[in-house]
Amino acid sequence: MPEARPLDPFRSERLVYRAVNDQPQDIAFIHSIQRDAEAQSGSSYALLRPESIKASTEFKDRIEKCLLGALICLPVTGLAEKDSETLPIGIICLKATPLSHAHHRNSDISIDIAKEYRGQGYGGEAIRWALWYGFQMAGLHRISIETFSFNEGAMKLYERLGFTCEGKHREAMWFNGRWHDDVVYGMLEDEWREEQRKAGNDV
């Protein structure tokens, strides 16, 4: 269910969201996410291959160019006012669109959660936060998210979060000897605000 935002716009119920810093521990975390073959096969069209530190560093640079690019973190002590007091467990982005497309006011969410933290509701919480940020802070009109047809868990999660299945690109991905559909989900600003009103949130 949608939830009210805390006073700190970069916190949700259990999580803290911070920038990716140019420091070894952040690069190492991104590298660990990008090296996860199971996650990458479920979220990218790219041909699966071993991940290099150089490629992970380049991915960090792409995160910084997103409309919103943040590490999903657990607070370790206190109020997590310092980056050193957070434990990264994932990455979430609202992708940037070219300036010539900015008037359309739409974006796509991408999310990766480290393997040991999956299945605990962190992904759904982070997506709800990104929806709030996109509609309430960034003034977006439409936010989409995609998955491949073999990822039934992701499809159920997106529908539970209020996304509408808008269609699919049939047999768009070749992986592990089979073709798979690219399934597209979307949410409009008015739909999000209506859910917020039903939940009694002030938006």
Side-chain angles (χ1 to χ4, degrees):
M1 289 295 295
E3 55 192 25
R5 290 299 102 203
L7 294 177
D8 184 344
F10 300 110
R11 291 181 68 98
S12 57
E13 182 182 359
R14 298 176 295 169
L15 300 171
V16 177
Y17 308 91
R18 69 168 176 85
V20 180
N21 293 316
D22 191 14
Q23 55 190 23
Q25 54 265 46
D26 281 5
I27 299 296
F29 175 72
I30 290 172
H31 186 58
S32 71
I33 289 280
Q34 293 297 102
R35 274 191 349 190
D36 184 344
E38 179 185 353
Q40 295 311 312
S41 65
S43 64
S44 174
Y45 280 104
L47 183 64
L48 192 62
R49 59 184 182 180
E51 181 79 4
S52 67
I53 290 290
K54 178 182 177 183
S56 295
T57 302
E58 291 172 351
F59 182 69
K60 179 193 79 71
D61 295 337
R62 291 200 297 274
I63 293 172
E64 293 175 342
K65 294 176 182 177
C66 287
L67 177 65
L68 167 71
L71 291 182
I72 304 165
C73 303
L74 290 172
V76 176
T77 59
L79 297 177
E81 293 175 350
K82 299 178 182 178
D83 290 350
S84 60
E85 296 176 336
T86 63
L87 173 68
I89 65 168
I91 304 167
I92 191 161
C93 297
L94 281 168
K95 299 176 185 177
T97 55
L99 287 177
S100 60
H101 292 185
H103 59 292
H104 298 308
R105 294 168 52 202
N106 60 56
S107 183
D108 305 313
I109 291 177
S110 67
I111 184 168
D112 290 297
I113 299 291
K115 188 171 185 177
E116 57 269 35
Y117 296 98
R118 292 175 202 152
Q120 301 176 51
Y122 294 128
E125 182 175 336
I127 291 170
R128 285 194 297 271
W129 174 77
L131 288 168
W132 168 82
Y133 184 93
F135 290 129
Q136 192 74 351
M137 302 296 283
L140 296 177
H141 178 68
R142 179 182 183 278
I143 296 176
S144 63
I145 193 166
E146 299 182 23
T147 189
F148 298 115
S149 53
F150 59 80
N151 194 342
E152 294 182 2
M155 290 189 285
K156 290 178 181 177
L157 171 63
Y158 302 159
E159 290 168 7
R160 221 168 35 241
L161 291 173
F163 284 92
T164 297
C165 182
E166 297 178 333
K168 63 182 68 172
H169 303 287
R170 296 177 300 155
E171 298 187 2
M173 183 200 193
W174 173 260
F175 175 69
N176 200 22
R178 293 181 58 190
W179 289 106
H180 304 276
D181 298 339
D182 177 12
V183 187
V184 181
Y185 290 85
M187 186 181 297
L188 301 179
E189 176 187 4
D190 290 347
E191 296 168 343
W192 177 80
R193 292 192 182 281
E194 179 60 25
E195 287 301 311
Q196 295 296 303
R197 284 190 286 269
K198 288 179 181 177
N201 296 330
D202 183 19
V203 295

